Amino acid sequence: EKNNNNVGNNRNTQGVVIEARRQHFESLIDATTSAPLGPIGAAKLVPWVGPLLKKGLIVFVDPRSNSKDLRRTMLYHATSSLLDGNIDVDIAFVTADSVGESQAWLKRNEITPNPTSNKIHILCDAQWSFMKKYEIVGDTIDHPWSMAMMAFDTKGDIVRMERDVEPSHCSQLVSDTRDKDLNI
């Protein structure tokens, strides 16, 4: 059975508040630049820190190395018309792979993310520090080793949390999240 949870106000499945902070994103490494986001890169990414305010941030994350689910989702979104036009939400993919592995996979699949684009961000978290902060990895049955999706609004609230996400449903999940949870 899927463990999908719509989580408002950053509460996990046990009702404990998970405080979204820009600092949680700073150690993520950008696969296109091989550099950590740092304070400036994290501030540009998260929707609750100016000056580049957006309507939201959708994050797909998978703690498994070489995750076929996350990679299928990245391939789809890298070529999707869903990202055409002026959208006010960024999509980030957080992988457990090293920067070198991520870059090699991107090259093999002819995906060239633009580091100045505000549409897709491919980020590495080989040490799982980000994933642990948002309880993507855990030791309980409530935290399956599978792809998850989180959506953050302009207040830093997690307005949607889905676990055990199927790549074939990601397009609809992004559309629903933009329309219903982020009200875009």
Side-chain angles (χ1 to χ4, degrees), residues 83-137:
L83 298 176
D84 291 343
N86 185 16
I87 60 170
D88 291 332
V89 63
D90 285 0
I91 298 177
F93 298 94
V94 179
T95 176
D97 300 327
S98 69
V99 172
E101 174 60 31
S102 296
Q103 289 175 341
W105 181 84
L106 291 168
K107 186 175 182 178
R108 280 192 309 273
N109 288 279
E110 299 177 351
I111 299 173
T112 311
N114 181 348
T116 61
S117 169
N118 286 334
K119 294 183 180 181
I120 288 185
H121 307 272
I122 299 173
L123 308 168
C124 302
D125 185 26
Q127 302 302 314
W128 296 337
S129 60
F130 176 86
M131 294 183 210
K132 288 177 183 174
K133 287 180 179 107
Y134 290 96
E135 299 184 358
I136 301 302
V137 262

Side-chain angles (χ1 to χ4, degrees), residues 52-101:
L52 304 174
L53 293 178
K54 297 171 282 288
K55 303 271 186 192
L57 172 65
I58 296 173
V59 179
F60 286 98
V61 58
D62 198 321
R64 300 170 295 179
S65 295
N66 301 308
S67 167
K68 291 181 181 178
D69 290 343
L70 187 64
R71 288 177 171 185
R72 281 180 44 206
T73 305
M74 285 192 284
L75 273 171
Y76 174 76
H77 284 288
T79 60
S80 174
S81 62
L82 181 70
L83 298 176
D84 291 343
N86 185 16
I87 60 170
D88 291 332
V89 63
D90 285 0
I91 298 177
F93 298 94
V94 179
T95 176
D97 300 327
S98 69
V99 172
E101 174 60 31

Side-chain angles (χ1 to χ4, degrees), residues 40-51:
I40 294 172
K44 288 179 182 177
L45 180 64
V46 298
W48 59 90
V49 177

